[in-house]
Amino acid sequence: MPTIAVDAMGGDHAPLEVVKGAAAISLETQIDVVLVGDEQHIQAVLDRVQYRPERLQVRHTDQLIGMAEEPHAAVRAKPRASLLMAVQLVAMGEADAVVTAGNTGAAVLACARYFRPLPGIRRAALASVYPRQTEYPGQDQLALLLDVGATIRCEATELVQFAVMGSAYARRISKVPSPRVGLLNMGAEANKGGDTFVEAYRRLGSIPGVNFVGNIEGHELLKGKADVIVTEGFTGNVVLKLLEGVADILSELVGAAARESWRYRFGLRVLESGVERLRSLTDYTAYGGAPILGFEHLLIKAHGRSEARAISNAIKVAAKAVRDGVVGEIQASLESR
Amino acid sequence: MLCTGRKVERPSPIVYRWDLDKTYLRSEFDRFRDLVKIPFEKPEDKVTVPGVVTLIRNLRRVARQQKREVRVYFISASPPQIAKAIKEKLALDGTEYEGITFKNQLQHIMRARFRNLREQVGYKLTVLLRQRAEFPQEAREVLFGDDWESDPVIYSLYADILAGKLRAEELPRVLDLLGVDPELASEACSLAATVEPVDAVERIYINLERGSPPGLFEPFGPRLIPAFNYFQSASCLYQDQHLDLDGVAEVAQSVMAEAGLSPTHLANALADICRRGYLHPHVRDTLAMELARRQLLPPPLRHGVLARLREWVRRQTRRVAPLPRLLPPHQPRIDYIQLVTHWRERHSAPNNSQQRREL
């Protein structure tokens, strides 16, 4: 079974929720976890939860990178930060993948610093998953969006590489034999979006093994037209935050309506199961995390607000990615291009 | 080689007392169906907790090497009707023992005291106190139980009664709080009154068979060690000079074989018991080195660029490693009224897994 290094100090609710998530994994699965962080804080949480000590290793470090810290400066100033130590453990072969809910920028920089890029890869891509409609039976309820912030501006070659990597990842993780790949753009036509996107469109159409379905517009993001949506980091990040914001607002509106009148409360009561389903679909804790792609090892980035369940799921995603040979699949796809 | 810890001037007799179900035997009685099955189980069908047989064998061996009188007793809450199967199982395992006590359930049924059928505290406490009267005054004791019922409370009460740390008026109140049958409570109090005070109980080992959070046992003080497996117990017993390195290695081997653990898993378990403050880091290091030499723990890294890099990371973590958690050097006085109240609150809903997972 794979060994997953977990940044115990990363995230808004670290180390409490991270350690609780890892403890749950030690009881439910055969996955070995290395918790990297302040030993005393970690043990203080473990003392209060059920866990299997045989499957949990603790590596102590006294430094951590905060969520609001400037990534470059933090990575330079804190060589023993829990995130960097966790990434190093994987680079040294003591663990197979990393999970962090910590500072995203620092996570990307840590990967760039300690992991070797895959042959031919110019830039890394940070992926994210989000719920959407499905169009055919067996289609995954989650779509993969990349890049969401690792590479702010991209060239056509990089967008093509993102498409190949995302397609390989979805093939292994979502078990979709031929995932549909779309290019997020401002129009469906091939000549939209400027030189970079026009060139990327042209090249994606002729790559064997990539099921390119053309450009995807904003209103199609939540439909099942594509399983993998490729874009540059700037746009991807805006889209991701917009989706999260909409989900939060919806949930808030429902609550506000319920507070306003007993009739709304009654209506919501009637629609309870539907509202619950909607909530579960937009619940990021169920999806765990998404990978940083482009390196010889995997880092799964969980949401900064992750609680125990999300961390557990992120560890499961990391273990599954290792077990299913996601990196090997990506490498093979890149070589066969 | 024994670690240097407490010095024993003249070896006094040592008594190891074991609970049977969930401590020695991996009895399943979570469901009524399992409970009904127990009387019909053949000796060869009964399964022991990984490492326990090897641990008892080695405890006897080391005690004999130390020229120390050693006794092993079992206390079971099962009825005498299944004694034959259990004794045959112990014989099959090659486990030597001086005595085994079963609970006379028939007597409770005849007297229509059905509440006493599941009662543990009064029964075990009276057995422990009655047997103590048969031991030499200077006999030391190590007690082994589990987190399934009330072993931590029973053993701690017994230890404090022996040590004279429990006020005379406190015991009846505690037993009443625990819901002990008045007749048994009165017997326990009479037996307690006859005890010559001696701090005889060295340690209480609680096998976390149910997976209770270890922090739950902090109120019992450092005398009680909650251990996730018998390798952790063996490491602490080595620290207290009840085992030697060969003994720990044999237990490690058994736990690995019977529980399907790897050397890395054992190393994690060793680190865990040290992190929780029950094992001194020096003892951990000695054990880690010796067990690695015997290929029971992962080997230390020696050569190559990668090994040097790993060593660098290890040095970084060691350089900033926090001081080991310090448990109080002496057993503090336990406020049993408070402890029992909390214990019952937390233990009364044990089947709520969410509640158990997080205190």
Side-chain angles (χ1 to χ4, degrees):
Chain A
M1 277 309 257
T3 301
I4 308 300
V6 177
D7 168 18
M9 310 309 283
D12 292 347
H13 306 297
L16 178 70
E17 294 295 328
V18 181
V19 176
K20 276 163 68 176
I25 282 290
S26 77
L27 294 171
E28 292 162 10
T29 72
Q30 304 288 308
I31 301 167
D32 290 331
V33 173
V34 185
L35 282 165
V36 186
D38 188 297
E39 189 178 290
Q40 285 176 349
H41 283 103
I42 292 171
Q43 190 55 46
V45 180
L46 287 177
D47 279 342
R48 302 180 62 78
V49 296
Q50 286 188 298
Y51 69 100
R52 283 195 61 193
E54 299 90 354
R55 303 218 168 268
L56 283 182
Q57 196 185 130
V58 177
R59 287 293 184 91
H60 175 77
T61 182
D62 60 345
Q63 290 183 340
L64 63 94
I65 295 175
M67 297 297 278
E69 284 190 71
E70 199 286 308
H72 284 95
V75 167
R76 260 198 312 272
K78 296 176 176 175
R80 293 194 311 275
S82 54
L83 170 60
L84 302 187
M85 298 294 271
V87 171
Q88 284 178 74
L89 286 178
V90 175
M92 292 181 311
E94 291 197 27
D96 301 303
V98 192
V99 168
T100 181
N103 188 310
T104 307
V108 175
L109 288 175
C111 289
R113 181 182 269 206
Y114 297 109
F115 291 167
R116 259 194 302 211
L118 287 169
I121 288 293
R122 291 161 49 141
R123 294 288 183 86
L126 173 61
S128 183
V129 287
Y130 67 90
R132 49 74 191 267
Q133 280 181 347
T134 52
E135 278 192 356
Y136 58 89
Q139 192 178 21
D140 198 329
Q141 280 193 334
L142 303 174
L144 187 77
L145 173 69
L146 75 171
D147 171 45
V148 294
T151 306
I152 307 296
R153 296 286 175 210
C154 298
E155 292 176 13
T157 306
E158 286 147 11
L159 289 172
V160 171
Q161 288 181 343
F162 293 174
V164 173
M165 292 194 295
S167 181
Y169 182 83
R171 227 174 3 250
R172 284 294 162 110
I173 295 294
S174 306
K175 304 284 181 213
V176 182
S178 182
R180 298 168 174 185
V181 178
L183 188 64
L184 185 62
N185 208 332
M186 53 185 282
E189 300 82 0
N191 61 350
K192 286 286 175 76
D195 292 347
T196 303
F197 279 76
V198 171
E199 174 64 8
Y201 187 104
R202 188 187 63 76
R203 286 165 65 179
L204 278 170
S206 60
I207 292 180
V210 172
N211 181 11
F212 183 56
V213 292
N215 285 338
I216 299 283
E217 291 185 82
H219 68 277
E220 290 170 315
L221 269 173
L222 296 174
K223 294 178 181 166
K225 189 176 171 186
D227 303 302
V228 177
I229 292 101
V230 175
T231 187
E232 49 186 13
F234 182 86
T235 319
N237 195 275
V238 171
V239 167
L240 183 69
K241 298 285 160 64
L242 178 72
L243 289 172
E244 281 180 15
V246 169
D248 285 349
I249 288 290
L250 272 177
S251 156
E252 217 165 274
L253 283 176
V254 168
R259 279 192 298 275
E260 202 170 284
S261 153
W262 69 268
R263 275 174 302 181
Y264 292 152
R265 268 201 298 281
F266 177 74
L268 282 171
R269 194 88 183 149
V270 172
L271 294 170
E272 197 174 11
S273 63
V275 172
E276 196 45 53
R277 174 148 170 71
L278 187 70
R279 193 171 287 154
S280 73
L281 272 175
T282 54
D283 179 11
Y284 64 87
T285 62
Y287 318 131
I292 293 180
L293 298 173
F295 298 101
E296 285 188 344
H297 301 287
L298 270 184
L299 181 146
I300 300 293
K301 173 69 184 70
H303 200 289
R305 281 181 283 164
S306 289
E307 293 185 358
R309 180 169 172 241
I311 297 293
S312 293
N313 284 336
I315 296 171
K316 284 181 193 165
V317 167
K320 184 173 159 62
V322 171
R323 220 172 25 228
D324 293 355
V326 165
V327 172
E329 176 81 12
I330 292 173
Q331 203 159 355
S333 300
L334 289 166
E335 281 164 9
S336 68
R337 201 155 52 91
Chain B
M1 186 181 113
L2 289 172
C3 79
T4 53
R6 234 181 336 231
K7 260 195 168 172
V8 181
E9 294 295 329
R10 198 167 50 110
S12 46
I14 180 77
V15 182
Y16 297 111
R17 302 226 248 179
W18 294 78
D19 172 55
L20 199 71
D21 293 313
K22 305 276 187 191
T23 305
Y24 182 87
L25 288 176
R26 214 170 210 182
S27 322
E28 293 292 338
F29 44 69
D30 311 12
R31 294 170 301 178
F32 183 70
R33 201 172 53 187
D34 300 325
L35 198 66
V36 172
K37 251 173 40 189
I38 289 178
F40 305 103
E41 270 181 356
K42 291 178 188 158
E44 59 271 26
D45 294 337
K46 293 188 182 291
V47 181
T48 53
V49 177
V52 70
V53 175
T54 317
L55 176 59
I56 297 177
R57 195 177 60 238
N58 278 283
L59 286 171
R60 292 194 90 103
R61 179 182 60 76
V62 171
R64 282 170 188 154
Q65 273 175 7
Q66 293 170 344
K67 305 206 181 324
R68 211 172 176 188
E69 186 195 338
V70 57
R71 298 183 190 187
V72 173
Y73 287 89
F74 287 98
I75 304 174
S76 172
S78 303
Q81 286 73 21
I82 63 163
K84 188 169 173 275
I86 287 176
K87 284 177 181 172
E88 279 177 21
K89 169 64 182 163
L90 290 166
L92 269 179
D93 295 338
T95 301
E96 294 174 54
Y97 59 95
E98 276 65 31
I100 183 163
T101 313
F102 293 94
K103 190 175 175 186
N104 193 349
Q105 302 282 38
L106 200 61
Q107 177 195 324
H108 296 303
I109 295 171
M110 300 286 277
R111 294 164 74 182
R113 296 212 162 143
F114 300 108
R115 200 180 65 161
N116 288 0
L117 291 175
R118 281 191 61 81
E119 200 278 334
Q120 292 256 344
V121 182
Y123 161 68
K124 280 192 179 172
L125 191 59
T126 48
V127 169
L128 288 166
L129 287 165
R130 231 180 284 130
Q131 279 183 348
R132 177 71 201 179
E134 299 164 12
F135 303 157
Q137 169 74 3
E138 70 278 15
R140 313 284 298 157
E141 294 194 44
V142 179
L143 313 175
F144 296 86
D146 59 76
D147 59 342
W148 204 255
E149 301 271 356
S150 305
D151 286 348
V153 179
I154 299 167
Y155 286 165
S156 296
L157 268 175
Y158 170 67
D160 281 339
I161 290 170
L162 285 195
K165 287 181 183 167
L166 205 67
R167 285 187 298 273
E169 71 277 9
E170 206 174 352
L171 185 59
R173 278 184 66 201
V174 173
L175 294 179
D176 183 46
L177 259 179
L178 285 163
V180 175
D181 175 66
E183 202 176 307
L184 276 174
S186 147
E187 190 187 347
C189 292
S190 313
L191 287 165
T194 61
V195 162
E196 199 70 40
V198 54
D199 199 356
V201 176
E202 289 183 13
R203 291 275 189 206
I204 297 165
Y205 287 92
I206 293 299
N207 177 36
L208 297 177
E209 180 71 11
R210 194 179 211 175
S212 304
L216 186 67
F217 302 91
E218 267 168 25
F220 293 95
R223 177 179 57 200
L224 186 145
I225 301 180
F228 285 97
N229 54 50
Y230 279 120
F231 172 62
Q232 289 192 332
S233 307
S235 304
C236 296
L237 284 159
Y238 166 75
Q239 179 173 253
D240 288 350
Q241 303 185 336
H242 290 284
L243 276 185
D244 56 11
L245 281 171
D246 289 338
V248 182
E250 272 196 45
V251 174
Q253 227 157 6
S254 296
V255 171
M256 274 169 81
E258 293 165 36
L261 299 179
S262 69
T264 306
H265 293 145
L266 280 194
N268 292 348
L270 188 67
D272 173 81
I273 193 82
C274 181
R275 226 170 32 239
R276 290 195 278 125
Y278 296 106
L279 191 72
H280 196 282
H282 294 323
V283 182
R284 175 201 58 195
D285 293 345
T286 308
L287 284 173
M289 208 162 60
E290 183 59 29
L291 295 178
R293 198 180 62 76
R294 297 177 192 212
Q295 296 180 334
L296 293 166
L297 289 190
L301 298 155
R302 289 180 200 285
H303 309 294
V305 179
L306 204 58
R308 282 205 296 276
L309 190 61
R310 285 176 182 171
E311 193 43 48
W312 178 84
V313 174
R314 290 230 165 101
R315 269 206 308 276
Q316 294 299 309
T317 55
R318 210 176 295 143
R319 192 155 65 85
V320 294
L323 284 170
R325 180 195 285 199
L326 294 173
L327 292 174
H330 302 292
Q331 176 69 20
R333 193 181 168 79
I334 298 174
D335 179 350
Y336 279 99
I337 305 292
Q338 197 182 16
L339 184 142
V340 167
T341 311
H342 285 153
W343 179 259
R344 288 188 70 194
E345 272 169 19
R346 282 171 177 172
H347 231 63
S348 58
N351 289 326
N352 182 338
S353 59
Q354 183 59 35
Q355 203 167 337
R356 262 200 297 140
R357 260 185 204 169
E358 195 189 335
L359 288 179

